Amino acid sequence: MAMAMAMSRSNAGRGIRLMSTSGWWKAVEPAPKDPILGVTEAFLADTDPNKVNVGVGAYRDDQGKPVVLQSVREAERRILGKENMEYLPMGGSVKMVEESIKLAYGENADVLKDKRVAAVQALSGTGACRLFAEFQKRFRPESQIYIPVPTWANHHNIWRDANVPQRTFHYYHPETRGLDFASLMDDVKNAPNGSFFLLHACAHNPTGVDPTEEQWKEISYQFKVKNHYPFFDMAYQGFASGDTDRDAKAIRIFLEDGHQIACAQSFAKNMGLYGQRVGCLSVICDDAKQAVAVKSQLQQIARPMYSNPPVHGALLVYSILSDPDLKALWHKEVKVMADRIIGMREALRGNLENLGSPLSWNHVTDQIGMFCYSGMTPEQVDRLTSEFHIYLTRNGRISMAGVTTGNVEYLANAIHEVTKSSEKELKAGAV
Amino acid sequence: MATFAAASAKPMAVIDNSQLSLCQKKFDGLRVGYAFAKRKSSSSLKVKSVSRINMALATDVSRFEGVTMAPPDPILGVSEAFKADTNDLKLNLGVGAYRTEDLQPYVLNVVKKAENMMLEKGENKEYLPIEGLAAFNKATVELLLGADNDATKQGRVATVQGLSGTGSLRLAAAFIQRYFPGVQVLISSPTWGNHKNIFNDAGVPWSEYRYYDPKTVGLDFEGMIADIKAAPSGSFVLLHGCAHNPTGIDPTPEQWEKIADVIQEKDLTAFFDVAYQGFASGSLDEDASSVRLFVARGMEVFVAQSYSKNLGLYAERIGAINVVCSSSDAAIRVKSQLKRLARPMYSNPPVHGAQIVANVVGNPTLFDEWKSEMELMSGRIKGVRQRLYDNLSAKDKTGKDWSFVLRQIGMFSFTGLNKAQSENMSNKWHIYMTKDGRISLAGLSLSKCEYLADAIVDSYYNVS
């Protein structure tokens, strides 16, 4: 206030009215902390030596350290000083995009041979989803998006900021900590024909619960009957099972059944390129001509958002996927990451069972990918944080990537502590 | 389309033809989209013999059937046309990317050194926070406002790393739409082509203020002031901090003072697009003087920055949006809301370019070297301007005054050629430029100035 008054005095001679301190920004409330990224901020601020971060979904090695893949380091060495910094086209690196869609759809996919895929480089998974949401709004303005419950929190933000109305469909079954397949199919059947659905291709975030192959086939069939539009968010290809083709199985099933899908791909996790923001949005079209038109419209959306996408990450992806040796190395490294996670799942479940937990922890090993939907309540999560300095999102989602041989026992003990009385509560509440 | 409808409720002033056809195409797509939703299913059937689906099901014709081909981007489309031309004499004066005298792209030495340093350090690739790399954000504000700036010291600047200039502008536009819905942004006539797209897609209505005077090939200062004065209170005024794109015409320091006066009097907010700091005059401080003038007066401003040109980091997409507020509390709140807009756009910004900038600015040797390289780049442009002017004066026997070429500043020159004349440049002379008469001097070498002068004189006098 004093400064504003001082400035008023000094400008008084000019007779100029200054804006008051409260002026323009009065209506601007402080934004709520992002539920996911806010967890890491809190973790970083904690000084307790035993603290554990199982919040954000970024892979850690068994020492809890971030990992840069060897294949990535080698790619970096190769591209250093080689390229100029010229703008990429609005649709990004053509070479990278070609490799990306081969990875998603299979090298010999018909849709690729027929050039029916409109594809652009995007700002990782988020950017790919946002491009699609804007495209959907622009060309199917009457449409809505059906989003699974639960889903990655940012999905809701993305379609909301794109002004596409949202609906939900059943997905997670709390009682079994598995898939609520019956309700899911009901929702698919009851949605109006031609509805848009957001599907997680593999390693569902946050639950880790994926449909089986048989279930995917049934979903695909029903989608055909209802003429629904499948939009796949594939953020963990390779990372879930260790096998990139296996993790893309759902997409391949839908392709076989003749669906025209769209797919958001991210290289944040499976190549560890988080901060580089590299991904791809692809939309399968009727024919090559339409693919060119759709691509041009996707570019039209990108231009006023960021003009053209960043080059560095794209060059890394292209270097790796286009070189047989680097690609083979990468496949190995992805498997190592996936296997470590699977190993930690087994360890966590084993520990909890050994502690004599009254609850069932099968879901820890049934679920797949980076995340485990533990089934813990927000109150239990809060206790984990305040009493044990363990950081995770309040929906009970544990990022298995943050679990190590060094902390799995501590984690299991803490979880046991806050959940062992649950059975008592259940019993008390049961009729 | 809710936001777009809101924007079009206030009619947009002066939509040029290309913009109109773009809108038209959008709506065409929408109309067909609606029609598609209601149409009967296709009569062609495909029987899947291999799959487990044993029914003959109607083939899905794509639900994006109605998607028409988007028009080529007027600026980026020029490069594409250039590439397709096989003539030896061809010259690309389209997009504003710096070229050496040999017309090669230029990666700055300091950038190469920084990248080497980064590779050796072996940084991890973790997500940046939503607001970007802290070291970058600190450096970028210091560069913009000066190291000892009060606003920074008082914590009154909200800074968020953005996807170069475009991305930073878009974040600001989205913020304006959310917190000042219906409030207009005044943009110069003409301005960078993508400005309108950004505000359109963000759902922010815009109108134009007079800027370019074709009679003088200079600034229509009186028109500019009158139009800004006439704006509704609370409007935003988009100003180019230096090296106006596409005209190359900047206000003088005295004129900047007057512009600031009017903006203050009328309770408007200045919104600076700073894409050429250091690149225009060769001096980082001089090129930031317009912004610093406003901030020194205690005014609240938006400033979008880009490192595409001055550090040659085009494809890395590195820039920032800064909001200078009158209190640190407001800055904290504004920053949190900018983050909230960024999260559903791309979650967090790319790290590579930010690290390059932070390394260059943070290392005194590299920083000095950068300043030298900027002087070199801007010096080459000034040299090319001089040669072009000399050639034009020599070739044009009518005695027309071409000195505006010397007075204009930065990468671009508004030649005064109209659309037909600009097309003649491409069709007859294989010289590629945008249809508004803008040439990018960054793509011009001394050796080509004479050829260019011939082409301009021919187009100006022989085509109407």
Side-chain angles (χ1 to χ4, degrees), chain B residues 34 40 70 77 108 126 133 138 162 166 192 245 254 278 298 307 379 424 444:
Chain B
Y34 271 110
K40 303 186 289 275
L108 276 69
E126 293 295 283
L133 185 69
K138 181 165 184 295
T166 306
W192 178 48
N245 178 359
E254 297 71 35
Y307 290 89
N424 185 63
L444 181 61

Side-chain angles (χ1 to χ4, degrees), chain A residues 29 86 126 138 256 297 307, chain B residues 30 48 99 166 337 347:
Chain A
E29 300 277 313
E86 295 293 282
T126 306
R138 188 166 289 188
E256 254 180 55
Q297 294 292 352
S307 281
Chain B
L30 294 179
K48 295 282 297 176
R99 296 282 177 274
T166 306
Q337 294 295 350
S347 280

Side-chain angles (χ1 to χ4, degrees), chain A residues 24-25 28-29 31 34 60 73 76 85-86 126 138 227 256 275 277 296-297 303 306-308 311, chain B residues 30 48 60 62 68 70 73 99 122 125-126 166 178 300 315 317 333 336-337 343 346-348 351:
Chain A
W24 292 103
W25 316 121
V28 178
E29 300 277 313
D34 183 280
R60 295 284 177 271
R73 283 271 181 250
E76 271 196 319
M85 298 275 190
E86 295 293 282
T126 306
R138 188 166 289 188
N227 196 26
E256 254 180 55
R277 317 312 294 131
S296 76
Q297 294 292 352
R303 173 58 159 158
Y306 48 82
S307 281
N308 36 68
V311 69
Chain B
L30 294 179
K48 295 282 297 176
D60 289 343
S62 167
T68 54
D73 183 278
R99 296 282 177 274
K125 305 208 174 298
E126 293 295 283
T166 306
R178 186 166 287 185
E300 291 184 313
R317 317 313 294 132
R333 285 180 281 121
S336 76
Q337 294 295 350
R343 174 58 157 156
Y346 49 82
S347 280
N348 37 67
V351 65

Side-chain angles (χ1 to χ4, degrees), chain B residues 81-322:
Chain B
F82 169 81
K83 276 196 202 124
D85 187 329
T86 51
N87 189 289
D88 276 337
L89 293 168
K90 68 177 181 177
L91 198 53
N92 186 358
L93 302 182
V95 76
Y98 180 81
R99 296 282 177 274
T100 61
E101 174 63 24
D102 297 320
L103 298 186
Q104 293 304 311
Y106 181 59
V107 178
L108 276 69
N109 289 325
V110 289
V111 169
K112 291 183 195 163
K113 288 182 185 173
E115 282 196 306
N116 274 303
M117 279 163 55
M118 284 156 56
L119 189 64
E120 258 166 72
K121 254 192 254 171
E123 305 268 6
N124 66 49
K125 305 208 174 298
E126 293 295 283
Y127 288 126
L128 286 178
I130 305 176
E131 69 258 41
L133 185 69
F136 166 78
N137 287 349
K138 181 165 184 295
T140 201
V141 174
E142 270 184 32
L143 277 175
L144 179 67
L145 299 181
D148 273 322
N149 185 271
D150 280 341
T152 318
K153 287 199 281 212
Q154 290 154 9
R156 290 194 287 116
V157 186
T159 299
V160 170
Q161 180 186 334
L163 291 157
S164 202
T166 306
S168 306
L169 287 161
R170 180 58 178 267
L171 277 184
F175 180 85
I176 290 171
Q177 194 279 331
R178 186 166 287 185
Y179 285 96
F180 306 96
V183 172
Q184 269 182 42
V185 175
L186 276 73
I187 62 181
S188 64
S189 171
T191 192
W192 178 48
N194 206 24
H195 280 145
K196 293 174 188 172
N197 299 334
I198 292 168
F199 293 117
N200 284 346
D201 275 25
V204 175
W206 50 268
S207 62
E208 286 178 301
Y209 59 87
R210 282 167 281 173
Y211 193 82
Y212 173 62
D213 185 351
K215 292 192 292 299
T216 60
V217 195
L219 179 60
D220 178 0
F221 188 60
E222 277 173 27
M224 177 182 183
I225 292 295
D227 289 346
I228 293 177
K229 268 193 181 154
S233 167
S235 300
F236 293 84
V237 184
L238 185 66
L239 303 160
H240 298 225
C242 63
H244 183 272
N245 178 359
T247 67
I249 297 161
D250 284 351
T252 63
E254 297 71 35
Q255 289 172 329
W256 275 121
E257 295 268 3
K258 188 91 204 296
I259 295 166
D261 287 344
V262 170
I263 286 178
Q264 278 185 301
E265 274 165 36
K266 291 292 172 172
D267 207 20
L268 309 171
T269 303
F271 182 173
F272 283 95
D273 185 355
V274 176
Y276 299 98
Q277 188 186 0
F279 199 95
S281 68
S283 158
L284 285 163
D285 290 321
E286 200 182 309
D287 288 346
S289 53
S290 58
V291 174
R292 294 182 188 182
L293 167 77
F294 279 59
V295 173
R297 290 188 181 206
M299 294 166 76
E300 291 184 313
V301 300
F302 282 83
V303 187
Q305 291 171 283
S306 164
Y307 290 89
S308 290
K309 283 77 167 179
N310 60 8
L311 254 177
L313 292 177
Y314 307 94
E316 302 292 351
R317 317 313 294 132
I318 177 66
I321 178 67
N322 305 276

Side-chain angles (χ1 to χ4, degrees), chain B residues 350-423:
Chain B
V351 65
H352 196 73
Q355 278 180 340
I356 294 175
V357 176
N359 274 293
V360 168
V361 174
N363 178 313
T365 319
L366 286 184
F367 188 46
D368 282 339
E369 203 181 325
W370 178 34
K371 288 195 258 197
S372 305
E373 287 193 275
M374 259 191 306
E375 274 171 29
L376 213 124
M377 291 193 287
S378 68
R380 189 181 96 65
I381 305 247
K382 286 179 198 162
V384 161
R385 283 187 182 276
Q386 185 66 53
R387 180 70 63 89
L388 179 61
Y389 166 75
D390 292 340
N391 279 311
L392 284 166
S393 305
K395 305 258 174 190
D396 183 354
K397 307 298 182 199
T398 71
K400 174 184 155 77
D401 181 8
W402 292 95
S403 65
F404 61 82
V405 170
L406 296 175
R407 281 195 305 275
Q408 290 164 358
I409 190 169
M411 209 180 264
F412 300 112
S413 178
F414 232 39
T415 54
L417 295 176
N418 64 27
K419 185 160 183 277
Q421 293 163 342
S422 302
E423 273 162 6

